[in-house]
Amino acid sequence: MSNIAIVIEERAADIGNFLVGRLLPFRQKRMVGPFIFIDHMGPDTISEPHFMDIAPHPHIGLSTLTYLFEGSIMHRDSLGNAVEIKPGAVNWMTAGKGVTHSERTPDYLRSTQHDLHGLQIWVALPKDLEQMEPNFVHIEEPQLPHWTEDGVSYRLIAGEINSHRSEVPVYSPLYLIEIKAEKDSRIKLGEHLYGESGLYILHGSVQAEGQEFGPKQILVAKDAKLCEFEMKAGTSVYIFGGEPFPEQRYIDWNFVASDIETLKIARNKWEQHEFPKVPGDDGYIPIPPVNPTLGQRKS
């Protein structure tokens, strides 16, 4: 009996001035554990006028996680943080009751061609923390747990698995693990996983239950404890998941909440310019038309 519940293909999505590959939400699978949104950026070369310029925009009810493979992003937020995100570091911003931030190509890269490649992820907050005070943490690559077994390299980007725990301050049981194989390898993680689990293939190929899967695909397991697969040499994958919430989550634009009324209030707040400002960045992204289903993000 197959343990693969669904295979999700990356879809193109326009986020303003360039295209990304959207992985979550998907019409048949809105969330995997607390993970509610995943975009794959790049690895297309970014050159003028196609550098990243995402003006100040708001979030509620979630934490954003940015993890780059190549390139750089300048993060500024309404808490006063101004941090350059570089490959291997984790940018973790918890919106709670409301935060505003911008993401732009650093000034020193705007006159040269460069690659921008990485993942942008939203993790929904538990219901009792949806209105928490916003906060921000930046974790450099050396601070992340890293280990090697039988020629396979593991890095725990966020959460907890087995005896390893990331310093990223998550608010519910979850995990985001980077796995890279130098040689053909068999991976058995099931006994360490919990809740719902997804596997995203960045490079190379994975074999599971007699089938082969390639880049830009997510495999969602029916039972995380049965997670077992083979990686070809040179393959990189990301396993993410955790305990699902008992309540449904709704998405409207950049807002996540367990009830629709909260989304309506946030939408009105942004339209009335009542969210906090970003020091050093006076841009503004107008909110798109209301999404009648409030079931998926409108860009």
Side-chain angles (χ1 to χ4, degrees):
M1 183 176 178
S2 175
N3 189 40
I4 301 173
I6 189 171
V7 178
I8 301 174
E9 301 280 350
E10 189 171 305
R11 292 106 51 216
D14 188 345
I15 63 169
N17 60 336
F18 64 99
L19 292 174
V20 297
R22 180 130 315 149
L23 293 156
L24 281 179
F26 184 64
R27 63 184 179 275
Q28 293 170 274
K29 188 63 179 172
R30 294 294 183 191
M31 298 177 68
V32 176
F35 289 80
I36 194 167
F37 176 89
I38 303 177
D39 266 357
H40 175 212
M41 303 180 293
D44 297 328
T45 295
I46 307 298
S47 60
E48 192 179 359
H50 301 294
F51 38 66
M52 176 177 275
D53 255 331
I54 302 177
H57 57 282
H59 289 288
I60 66 165
L62 56 87
S63 297
T64 63
L65 189 159
T66 304
Y67 186 76
L68 297 182
F69 312 127
E70 297 177 273
S72 177
I73 297 173
M74 191 66 198
H75 163 100
R76 288 185 172 86
D77 62 43
S78 54
L79 300 172
N81 298 292
V83 177
E84 183 178 353
I85 313 170
K86 294 186 177 182
V90 176
N91 229 50
W92 178 262
M93 183 185 71
T94 298
K97 65 182 184 181
V99 75
T100 309
H101 76 137
S102 64
E103 299 158 287
R104 302 185 186 272
T105 297
D107 290 341
Y108 73 90
L109 287 176
R110 288 176 178 259
S111 60
T112 61
Q113 286 195 340
H114 62 285
D115 291 333
L116 181 62
H117 189 198
L119 296 173
Q120 289 199 309
I121 295 169
W122 296 356
V123 179
L125 288 168
K127 186 175 180 178
D128 62 342
L129 294 177
E130 287 182 324
Q131 295 297 314
M132 68 181 286
E133 292 293 326
N135 64 70
F136 173 84
V137 174
H138 183 83
I139 304 293
E140 295 292 352
E141 181 179 13
Q143 296 173 257
L144 299 175
H146 179 268
W147 66 99
T148 302
E149 294 177 8
D150 299 325
V152 179
S153 173
Y154 297 84
R155 187 181 306 278
L156 183 60
I157 297 170
E160 190 170 358
I161 181 172
N162 198 10
S163 59
H164 304 283
R165 183 171 187 170
S166 169
E167 292 185 30
V168 175
V170 302
Y171 296 98
S172 67
L174 63 84
Y175 44 84
L176 174 58
I177 314 157
E178 176 184 78
I179 307 176
K180 296 182 177 182
E182 297 179 0
K183 60 181 183 180
D184 292 359
S185 304
R186 187 162 192 82
I187 310 298
K188 296 182 180 181
L189 280 176
E191 62 183 290
H192 305 305
L193 301 183
Y194 46 90
E196 297 181 328
S197 187
L199 183 155
Y200 174 57
I201 305 166
L202 179 67
H203 299 301
S205 65
V206 163
Q207 288 186 337
E209 299 175 358
Q211 301 181 68
E212 185 164 329
F213 303 92
K216 301 184 178 183
Q217 290 185 313
I218 284 181
L219 312 184
V220 180
K222 291 178 182 176
D223 185 346
K225 290 183 170 53
L226 298 178
C227 186
E228 188 174 319
F229 56 95
E230 294 179 4
M231 294 174 65
K232 290 293 185 182
T235 296
S236 298
V237 303
Y238 292 81
I239 294 181
F240 62 96
E243 297 296 346
F245 298 128
E247 321 87 3
Q248 183 176 354
R249 289 297 183 277
Y250 300 96
I251 306 178
D252 179 25
W253 193 39
N254 298 314
F255 307 132
V256 170
S258 55
D259 69 280
I260 292 176
E261 188 59 33
T262 300
L263 299 179
K264 292 178 180 177
I265 293 170
R267 170 176 281 272
N268 183 65
K269 251 181 96 174
W270 184 249
E271 289 176 332
Q272 299 302 315
H273 297 264
E274 294 175 357
F275 266 81
K277 308 297 184 185
V278 176
D281 195 332
D282 59 359
Y284 177 84
I285 298 181
I287 196 164
V290 68
N291 176 8
T293 65
L294 295 180
Q296 72 178 42
R297 182 178 191 257
K298 285 181 72 71
S299 297

